[in-house]
Amino acid sequence: MAGQCWALITLKLKLMRAMWTGAHTASLVLTTLTALVMLFLSFLASAGLFALGWQVLPEMKDPIAALGVMDALVLFYSFFWAWGLLMELQRSEVIDLRKLLFLPISPRMVFVLNFVASLFGPSMIFFIPCAAGLLLGFALRYGPQVLLWCVPLAAVFFLMLGAWAFYVRGWLAVMMENKRRRRLILTILPI
């Protein structure tokens, strides 16, 4: 099971790399620069969220303002998650569930493998260091016992959003099998 799951994750990463790089050197350079900028922004955002969790949020006297800041972070993450979902829907090389059914494993395992492979994407790779920075800031401010409930809460949030995105992606992939309906959906959905 672990080998098949790793193979699906590798397949997804190779499809993503093929989508971004293509066969040209210019697109490879652009992809490398984009990845480096995303990595730099991820570490910058991690440092900012570390400072937010360590100094800024605990100093706020109004809990409603602190909740508003946390809600803004969740909305920001959800926006970029939806953007990544739209980018993945526009690709033509989606890992299809029907293709996975030819593997010698049960349909339940096909679903689990496809779900685990769908969790790994640019938005997840970008936002995990950010969440870790915020949680480490909270842990330094309030003590390590905060991590006992914050880490599972963050993991459940990522998995919940990943499950919702997996469901919507599958539903839209079925709807977009028709070429005319696909163009209509890809036009209306971003709007």
Side-chain angles (χ1 to χ4, degrees):
M1 173 78 175
Q4 292 172 342
C5 188
W6 180 250
L8 278 178
I9 291 169
T10 306
L11 175 65
K12 181 173 172 117
L13 290 174
K14 285 185 180 189
L15 287 173
M16 202 171 7
R17 186 182 68 198
M19 178 184 73
W20 282 97
T21 59
H24 303 293
T25 307
S27 61
L28 180 62
V29 169
L30 182 65
T31 301
T32 305
L33 286 175
T34 304
L36 289 175
V37 167
M38 281 185 66
L39 189 63
F40 176 72
L41 288 176
S42 175
F43 285 123
L44 191 66
S46 297
L49 287 173
F50 174 78
L52 183 78
W54 185 34
Q55 293 291 331
V56 177
L57 284 178
E59 298 298 323
M60 288 184 164
K61 300 298 182 202
D62 186 18
I64 300 296
L67 182 64
V69 170
M70 295 299 285
D71 286 344
L73 291 173
V74 168
L75 285 175
F76 184 72
Y77 174 74
S78 301
F79 171 75
F80 278 103
W81 186 274
W83 178 63
L85 180 65
L86 283 175
M87 281 180 44
E88 193 166 327
L89 279 175
Q90 292 176 358
R91 273 196 352 219
S92 60
E93 310 94 18
V94 177
I95 300 175
D96 191 12
L97 192 62
R98 282 178 273 164
K99 293 176 186 172
L100 291 176
L101 289 175
F102 290 109
L103 296 173
I105 54 177
S106 70
R108 183 176 295 162
M109 288 299 162
V110 169
F111 173 77
V112 169
L113 288 174
N114 202 10
F115 176 69
V116 169
S118 73
L119 286 178
F120 294 95
S123 60
M124 180 69 83
I125 294 169
F126 180 76
F127 283 105
I128 284 192
C130 295
L134 182 67
L135 293 179
L136 283 176
F138 280 147
L140 282 179
R141 181 64 169 202
Y142 297 113
Q145 70 272 12
V146 169
L147 293 178
L148 293 176
W149 60 272
C150 282
V151 171
L153 186 64
V156 166
F157 174 73
F158 285 129
L159 285 175
M160 181 261 323
L161 201 54
W164 179 83
F166 183 72
Y167 170 73
V168 170
R169 184 179 22 238
W171 181 66
L172 286 174
V174 168
M175 285 182 60
M176 291 191 312
E177 285 180 352
N178 183 345
K179 298 269 187 197
R180 296 179 84 185
R181 198 179 309 155
R182 177 182 175 85
R183 285 189 303 243
L184 177 69
I185 289 172
L186 289 178
T187 303
I188 292 175
L189 203 58
I191 295 171

